[in-house]
Amino acid sequence: MKKIFTLFAAILCGLALNAKTLYLNPGPNWGDADAKFAMYYFNSETDNGWSAYMTPADATVYQGEIPDTYAHVIFVRLNPAGNISWGSKWDQTADLEVPATENLYTMTDWTNGSWSVYGEGGGTVTPPTPQPGGAKDYFLKGYFNGKDIDTPTADEQFEGGILEYTFTGDASGLGYFFILVCEQGQVVGDCYMTAEYTTASHCTLVKEDGTHNQKMAVPQGTVTFYLYDNGDGSLELSTEPLPGKTLVGGTEGVENTRVNNKAYKTIINGQLVIIRGEKMFDATGRQL
């Protein structure tokens, strides 16, 4: 009898060891506001579960375990004041297939990332950290022209804090906007949103943190947007000039030089390119 019990215990221990360790690098976006992280694993709507809270593996990476019999996982950013549940969710990834060999998922924006290897034979892959005071690019994002704008183009980019933009709205004739702030030459970065949905002519935006996750509604048509730096880490998006405020980029007042119509910007292979005549330049002005 003792031998049978010992064998049964060994089988249970073996089953308990059938876990897969996954790693998450939250990057600068998910890493804010003391967020916690967990994994939702699943094979179907009825075969699923949650991991425990992920714990630090090093200074930038978190680790956790899921049963190795599950083929899909979602990394979830959670409110630290809540619990491990969808009700405490701040952000999440898409439904991800668990790779056979890769084990580190590195966030590159608020919902997307890439797989690589952590640990022996690998290491962490950390997104570039924005440098304080570095040059920034500012884009309109949101829902307009009949779709969610996931990756903005040069058409949605502010020049000197001003953007004249023609768009169509939804069935009610409204477009819904917030701001994407990127390191110069990039098209991924931080989303700045308002705390409450608004139809006012201007609103204050701060970096999305779970509380500030709403948009500004604007009637469709050709609209001149003004984007101001409030000097306290927040931005002010307006459809009318606001005298005395400073446009992003450091221009005071509301007089601004529009982009030269002989030059325009576009995104080529993920890089911001300025085309002037037959010449191309990068975001620093270096000819390509």
Side-chain angles (χ1 to χ4, degrees), residues 2-180:
K2 184 176 180 181
K3 290 183 179 180
I4 295 175
F5 177 81
T6 302
L7 177 60
F8 181 66
I11 292 172
L12 287 179
C13 289
L15 291 174
L17 292 175
N18 290 334
K20 184 176 181 68
T21 300
L22 296 178
Y23 300 86
L24 173 69
N25 184 337
N29 292 331
W30 273 30
D32 280 351
D34 296 322
K36 292 186 176 181
F37 311 102
M39 294 176 286
Y40 178 81
Y41 51 85
F42 63 98
N43 285 324
S44 68
E45 291 185 1
T46 57
D47 184 11
N48 53 63
W50 286 92
S51 74
Y53 284 121
M54 301 184 75
T55 57
D58 61 35
T60 59
V61 172
Y62 291 78
Q63 66 181 7
E65 290 186 346
I66 65 171
D68 65 2
T69 54
Y70 286 85
H72 302 275
V73 68
I74 299 172
F75 292 96
V76 185
R77 178 174 181 256
L78 297 165
N79 184 339
N83 54 20
I84 301 176
S85 69
W86 291 115
S88 297
K89 183 198 80 173
W90 274 349
D91 300 281
Q92 69 174 82
T93 65
D95 298 351
L96 304 172
E97 286 192 16
V98 179
T101 56
E102 296 170 313
N103 58 3
L104 168 64
Y105 196 74
T106 299
M107 300 302 302
T108 55
D109 59 30
W110 285 101
T111 56
N112 301 300
S114 60
W115 287 102
S116 59
V117 176
Y118 179 84
E120 185 177 356
T124 63
V125 180
T126 306
T129 301
Q131 298 301 312
K136 308 290 184 185
D137 286 333
Y138 301 85
F139 298 88
L140 275 181
K141 283 194 72 175
Y143 180 89
F144 45 94
N145 294 333
K147 60 183 179 181
D148 285 308
I149 304 299
D150 294 322
T151 303
T153 70
D155 292 338
E156 287 83 45
Q157 185 175 3
F158 283 81
E159 291 286 346
I162 296 178
L163 174 64
E164 186 175 89
Y165 195 72
T166 302
F167 65 94
T168 57
D170 61 6
S172 63
L174 294 173
Y176 304 90
F177 298 93
F178 58 96
I179 296 296
L180 175 67

Side-chain angles (χ1 to χ4, degrees), residues 5 33 36 39 52 106 112 132 135 157 187 202 239 241-242 251 253 266 268:
F5 177 81
K36 292 186 176 181
M39 294 176 286
T106 299
N112 301 300
Q157 185 175 3
V187 290
H202 66 92
T239 55
L242 300 176
T251 305
T266 188
I268 299 177

Side-chain angles (χ1 to χ4, degrees), residues 192 204-207 228-236 245 248:
Y192 280 67
T204 300
L205 310 174
V206 303
K207 188 161 65 172
Y228 298 95
D229 184 345
N230 288 327
D232 58 1
S234 69
L235 303 174
E236 196 80 12
K245 295 186 74 67
V248 294

